[in-house]
């Protein structure tokens, strides 16, 4: 493999930003020092004015393969991820067919091994009727990121609401259980109440139908189950101020048995944006009133919320452009998540060190990922170069999602395309320069994530 030497680059890692040289050799970080010289045939990268970050790790994406590839596939979405500085992803089981068995799960790993430009892992799914298959994954807990459980409304047969199954999974899983928490009964009651008003529903009704109560009651139930069985619970995409009381910052992340994720769109959009964006910001759980957004930011910064992710969930333009009740829920986000956080850094909302903590370090710690998520000697060289003074505007020409659109196309002032203040210039995956200054080298694919469990 090619050897690379970064000279005089600002290394953002483990709470500090320092000017360093960094040597990459054999796919790993070989040396970090103030001055490095090498006799080897190294490609030297001038880092002056640039920042070196550990690659972001996205613990929640939907890349739609197999079965839903008219929306996306592992190749297209991993390419978008790499362009946005995401070097590893963990993908959800609600494909077609759902990844309910080890054989179906391994099919996805085989596709990724051939096509993914980023490192990868896949959750095994669970339903009301497949607990045996789900728990069979325990013996591969060092090679599978976790179990995904929809404890609320979902598509197909992924909803788990049978108490016997819930107690069994929480009681017997040796793996992390990642939950989507919304209470189905509350959602159905809210929907019926809205339908009884005999009017056309719009996207603005979404946070009323899928309201704070639906989220809290389901998250509370998940926490109670986890405490009963001492399960390793990770609640995905927290959206409400009320749910934050379920989480703590009083113990270190590595000692937590219950952790929580916040997604970039819930840190950026509010219910006020439905008027302009409509179904194009419809997602589950819903984007809610602005006081929730402010509470999420506070909890992120004080460590009650542990990681930042995307819940990248692409749908075609036509699927989003349907009337509200038919429009699919989900946003494509993985290419623009890290640039969005760099935007908030520019605004003074979050430090670079905190971005790296929440998008890289904490994800690696939360999932016990082996030798990734940090800029450390001996670790895999999953690295991102950011130019904080290279703005770009989202447009059709630079969107890499297969669906071809982004909610940021009209998220700027007065509905204009959003202007990001910083760009990702280079992305290294396991020491391989996949993306550099707009050029691609797809000759080496990403690697399967391993877990120290």
């Amino acid at each position: 493999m090619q050897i690379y030497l970064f000279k005089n680059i600002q290394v953002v890692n483990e709470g500090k930003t320092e000017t360093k040289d960094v040597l990459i050799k054999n796919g790993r970080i070989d040396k970090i020092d103030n001055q490095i010289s090498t006799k080897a045939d190294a490609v030297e990268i001038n880092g002056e004015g640039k920042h070196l970050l550990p690659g972001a790790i996205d613990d929640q994406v939907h890349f739609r393969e197999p079965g839903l590839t008219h929306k996306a596939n592992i190749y297209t979405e991993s390419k978008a991820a790499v362009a946005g500085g995401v070097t590893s992803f963990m993908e959800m089981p609600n494909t077609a067919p759902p990844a309910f068995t080890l054989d179906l799960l391994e099919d996805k790993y085989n596709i990724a091994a051939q096509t993914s430009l980023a490192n990868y892992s896949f959750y095994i799914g669970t339903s009301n009727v497949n607990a045996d298959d789900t728990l069979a994954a325990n013996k591969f807990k060092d090679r599978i990121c976790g179990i995904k459980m929809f404890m609320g409304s979902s598509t197909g047969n992924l909803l788990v609401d049978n108490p016997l199954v819930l107690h069994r999974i929480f009681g017997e899983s040796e793996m992390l259980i990642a939950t989507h928490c919304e209470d189905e009964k509350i959602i159905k009651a809210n929907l019926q109440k809205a339908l009884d008003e005999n009017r056309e529903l719009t996207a603005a009704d979404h946070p009323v139908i899928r309201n704070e109560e639906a989220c809290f009651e389901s998250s509370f139930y998940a926490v109670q189950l986890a405490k009963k069985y001492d399960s390793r619970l990770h609640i995905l995409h927290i959206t409400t101020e009320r749910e934050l009381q379920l989480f703590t910052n009083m113990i270190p992340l590595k000692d937590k048995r219950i952790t929580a994720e916040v997604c970039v769109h819930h840190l950026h959009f509010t219910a006020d944006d439905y008027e302009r964006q409509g179904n194009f910001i419809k997602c589950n759980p819903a984007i809610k009133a602005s006081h929730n957004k402010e509470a999420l930011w506070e909890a992120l910064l004080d460590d009650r919320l542990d990681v930042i992710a995307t819940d990248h969930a692409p749908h075609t333009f036509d699927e989003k452009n349907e009337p509200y009740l038919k429009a699919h829920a989900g946003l494509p986000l993985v290419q623009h998540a890290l640039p969005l956080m760099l935007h908030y850094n520019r605004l003074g909302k979050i430090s670079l060190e905190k971005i790296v903590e929440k998008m890289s370090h904490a994800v690696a710690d939360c999932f016990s990922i082996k030798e990734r998520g940090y800029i450390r000697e001996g670790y895999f060289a999953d690295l991102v170069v950011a130019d904080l003074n290279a703005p770009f505007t989202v447009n059709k020409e630079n969107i890499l999602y297969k669906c071809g659109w982004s909610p940021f196309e009209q998220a700027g002032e007065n509905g204009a395309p959003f202007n990001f203040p910083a760009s990702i210039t280079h992305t290294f995956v396991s020491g391989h320069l996949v993306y550099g200054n707009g050029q691609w080298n797809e000759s080496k694919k990403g690697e399967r994530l391993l877990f120290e469990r």
Side-chain angles (χ1 to χ4, degrees), residues 12-17 53-57 84-85 264 267 297 300-301 303 306-309 336-363 373 384 386 388 421-422 424:
V12 186
N13 186 58
E14 300 189 65
K16 297 183 292 185
T17 299
L53 320 177
I57 306 170
V264 290
L267 292 171
W297 269 108
L300 175 70
L301 295 174
D303 297 333
D306 300 292
V307 303
I308 299 172
H336 300 106
L338 180 53
L340 182 65
M341 289 300 105
L342 295 177
H343 159 75
Y344 280 106
N345 169 256
R346 175 66 63 89
L347 295 181
K349 189 81 169 178
I350 186 171
S351 68
L352 290 176
E353 295 82 3
K354 200 70 171 179
I355 293 170
V356 163
E357 176 192 335
K358 296 299 185 180
M359 300 188 80
S360 304
H361 303 338
V363 193
V384 171
L388 303 188
I424 306 304

Side-chain angles (χ1 to χ4, degrees), residues 423-434:
S423 297
I424 306 304
T425 64
H426 299 72
T427 302
F428 291 79
V429 178
S430 299
H432 173 65
L433 179 58
V434 185

Side-chain angles (χ1 to χ4, degrees), residues 292-313:
N292 295 289
K293 170 183 163 179
E294 295 310 312
L296 294 175
W297 269 108
E298 182 179 343
L300 175 70
L301 295 174
D302 73 17
D303 297 333
R304 283 172 289 160
L305 293 174
D306 300 292
V307 303
I308 299 172
T310 66
D311 193 14
H312 173 81

